[in-house]
Amino acid sequence: MLTFLGFAMIATFLVLIMLKKMSPIAALVLIPALFCVFAGKGAHLGDYVIDGVGKLAPTAAMLMFAIVYFGVMIDVGLFDPIVRGILRFCKADPMRIVVGTAVLAAIVSLDGDGSTTFMITVSAMYPLYKRLGLSLVVMTGVAATANGVMNTLPWGGPTARAATALKLDAADVFVPMIPALAAGLLCVFVLAYVLGIRERRRVGSLVVPGERIEQETLVAAGGGAVAGAGSGSGTGVGAGVEAVAGSGSVSDFGPDGAVGEGGKAPAPGAADGSVGGGSEGGDGDGFQGLDPHRATLRPRLYWFNAGLTVALLTAMIMELLPIPVLFLLGAALALTVNFPHMPDQRARIAAHADNVLNVAGMVFAAAVFTGVLTGTGMVKHMADWLVGAIPEGMGPHMALVTGLLSLPLTYFMSNDGFYFGVLPVLAEAGAAHGVSPLEIARASLVGQPLHMSSPLVPAVYVLVGMAKVEFGDHTRFTVKWAVLTSLVVLAAAMLFGII
């Protein structure tokens, strides 16, 4: 009964989200509450929710202060050189822009934090996508999939969980998987190239001098005089940048016909020209992008901010302090040094408050979902049913089975639930047939490209919120490509004899 209710709850949630019948926050709260009552455990709903909130509170705190910290770093111009380099490469070619999105997301993902990756990637690329009328779901899909592959780094989380759950060394799990993960990253780049070619055919390739497109996209669509010049209603590609940047452009629709924007979650920013400004000019989407002349720039403090960020990431990788504490200290120090006056500090906090509230709300709403799923025993019954359904003849191939199961299980469950609840059972079943726990641990990493678009991953709400993409649209577009990438990683791991 609990097995059926668990699958039914997840299916109901996904259907309502993708059909846009409910907002993610409402669905994450109301659907599990309803199914908790169906399971006859409504009297314990409060306990389940409090338990879920307690487990996710550190994640919420980390995301809140990470958004503030990296929001300030973007405001003061720390990442502008990277953005300019990407824009010089991209120019006005849709194919280069989509590939540049994948490259940027992969590079920034080296810090091991998905929310950071998405904040920097969207801040850099969103204005360019809007300016040229490209599909925003392409941006979110490519960024999420690239981050999913890179999320397997030892300090990213899944590898450490797998090693801890099976009492292995993280290096023994990760290092042999590098060729397979490299194949997965190559798959993402090829996917970005193919999607970029599709976008080029859809909107055309605009001939704009590199320096001009760099300046215009740094100011961004929808903000300032440059963007305002493009606010006409033209939809033809041949009309140039100004034509496709208009409010009637084809950028509202992805290549699959999915809406590319229109999400309700506001992007971070302020009306002073910093990231995510609240300008009402241009297309009125409320995202002003990276104005190269914004008042928040701090060029004299560039090396201090770079050093602070490197120190923060180093401390995070070395686990000197809990990550929420590190970001809390980093955000406080960054605000104090870059904006010593209280009004300026309040303005920076207010500039990013919308995104902080949106993401924190999603995290605590997800706590209801995970709390009910775990507390009622649904997740355990689902995992036991899946493991029990494995034919006896597949025992010697448990590594392959683990890799395949990691796709749906890490999508529908938290990483903690999968790695600490299901993986030991799979490893035990594999050991009975002579399959090494190392192979099982490596195979368990295969599903991470899909996991990063799971509704239970808080960072994905940073991505869709800043990009103004509906979560359902992102899911419909991304899942198939993420599954393909995961299968490429699995196939490469088997080809190279890793699992």
Side-chain angles (χ1 to χ4, degrees):
M1 179 64 176
L2 287 176
T3 301
F4 170 77
L5 287 176
F7 283 115
M9 184 174 83
I10 292 170
T12 303
F13 169 79
L14 291 175
V15 168
L16 290 176
I17 289 297
M18 287 192 285
L19 293 180
K20 301 182 186 178
K21 299 298 183 181
M22 294 183 74
S23 68
I25 286 184
L28 284 168
V29 172
L30 297 179
I31 292 174
L34 184 62
F35 275 84
C36 184
V37 174
F38 288 163
K41 300 189 178 184
H44 301 287
L45 177 61
D47 296 332
Y48 299 153
V49 172
I50 293 299
D51 185 57
V53 168
K55 291 179 179 177
L56 288 182
T59 300
M62 183 273 290
L63 287 173
M64 288 170 63
F65 290 107
I67 289 170
V68 173
Y69 178 83
F70 283 103
V72 169
M73 290 297 110
I74 294 169
D75 290 344
V76 300
L78 177 62
F79 302 107
D80 281 19
I82 299 175
V83 173
R84 281 193 290 269
I86 294 291
L87 294 180
R88 287 193 186 101
F89 166 76
C90 294
K91 297 187 178 179
D93 183 359
M95 184 274 291
R96 290 191 174 199
I97 292 169
V98 180
V99 172
T101 302
V103 172
L104 180 60
I107 292 173
V108 182
S109 293
L110 289 171
D111 73 346
D113 178 48
S115 58
T116 303
T117 299
F118 297 147
M119 286 182 64
I120 295 173
T121 302
V122 175
S123 295
M125 306 306 294
Y126 178 94
L128 197 52
Y129 276 76
K130 287 293 291 182
R131 193 70 177 157
L132 302 182
L134 305 182
S135 171
L136 295 175
V137 289
V138 170
M139 177 179 69
T140 61
V142 168
T145 308
N147 178 250
V149 175
M150 298 298 290
N151 191 46
T152 54
L153 292 168
W155 54 88
T159 301
R161 287 181 174 93
T164 302
L166 300 184
K167 297 179 176 59
L168 303 170
D169 185 86
D172 293 337
V173 176
F174 175 74
V175 174
M177 278 292 289
I178 290 177
L181 296 172
L185 194 58
L186 178 61
C187 175
V188 174
F189 293 151
V190 172
L191 170 64
Y193 174 81
V194 172
L195 293 176
I197 293 296
R198 287 173 56 177
E199 287 296 280
R200 179 194 284 171
R201 289 172 181 165
R202 188 174 65 84
V203 303
S205 183
L206 307 179
V207 181
V208 183
E211 226 16 71
R212 180 185 167 198
I213 192 65
E214 176 186 328
Q215 292 173 0
E216 291 188 355
T217 52
L218 277 171
V219 172
V226 177
S231 61
S233 60
T235 58
V237 174
V241 173
E242 288 75 9
V244 298
S247 60
S249 80
V250 292
S251 65
D252 292 350
F253 298 90
D256 294 342
V259 178
E261 67 168 309
K264 302 301 182 185
D272 62 2
S274 65
V275 179
S279 170
E280 295 178 2
D283 63 7
D285 66 2
F287 194 110
Q288 191 155 335
L290 301 178
D291 183 347
H293 306 295
R294 57 193 184 275
T296 58
L297 288 176
R298 297 292 185 269
R300 293 183 180 179
L301 294 172
Y302 183 86
W303 292 111
F304 166 80
N305 290 317
L308 177 61
T309 302
V310 170
L312 178 63
L313 297 179
T314 302
M316 189 186 340
I317 293 170
M318 296 179 65
E319 299 181 351
L320 297 181
L321 287 171
I323 294 178
V325 176
L326 289 173
F327 275 118
L328 194 157
L329 294 174
L333 187 57
L335 280 169
T336 302
V337 174
N338 288 284
F339 303 98
H341 302 295
M342 285 296 296
D344 293 335
Q345 291 184 19
R346 285 196 295 268
R348 290 300 89 217
I349 293 172
H352 303 288
D354 284 343
N355 205 40
V356 168
L357 180 60
N358 180 52
V359 172
M362 289 293 185
V363 172
F364 289 120
V368 180
F369 195 95
T370 57
V372 169
L373 204 59
T374 303
T376 58
M378 290 180 188
V379 70
K380 183 179 184 304
H381 281 74
M382 292 164 63
D384 290 345
W385 180 81
L386 285 171
V387 173
I390 299 171
E392 185 67 23
M394 291 299 292
H397 307 288
M398 278 304 296
L400 172 61
V401 172
T402 300
L404 293 173
L405 285 179
S406 71
L407 273 71
L409 290 180
T410 57
Y411 186 79
F412 296 131
M413 299 170 61
S414 67
N415 270 341
D416 284 340
F418 174 71
Y419 286 105
F420 294 117
V422 178
L423 189 60
V425 177
L426 294 172
E428 185 177 344
H433 292 85
V435 181
S436 165
L438 274 172
E439 293 184 58
I440 298 294
R442 292 167 191 160
S444 70
L445 303 178
V446 166
Q448 288 305 304
L450 178 60
H451 172 74
M452 285 311 299
S453 290
S454 165
L456 302 181
V457 175
V460 75
Y461 298 109
V462 177
L463 175 65
V464 297
M466 289 187 67
K468 301 186 183 301
V469 171
E470 290 282 1
F471 181 79
D473 295 331
H474 170 78
T475 300
R476 277 200 303 270
F477 179 81
T478 306
V479 164
K480 55 183 177 291
W481 304 120
V483 168
L484 174 63
T485 303
S486 294
L487 293 177
V488 167
V489 173
L490 180 60
M494 296 182 65
L495 181 64
F496 295 139
I498 299 169
I499 62 174

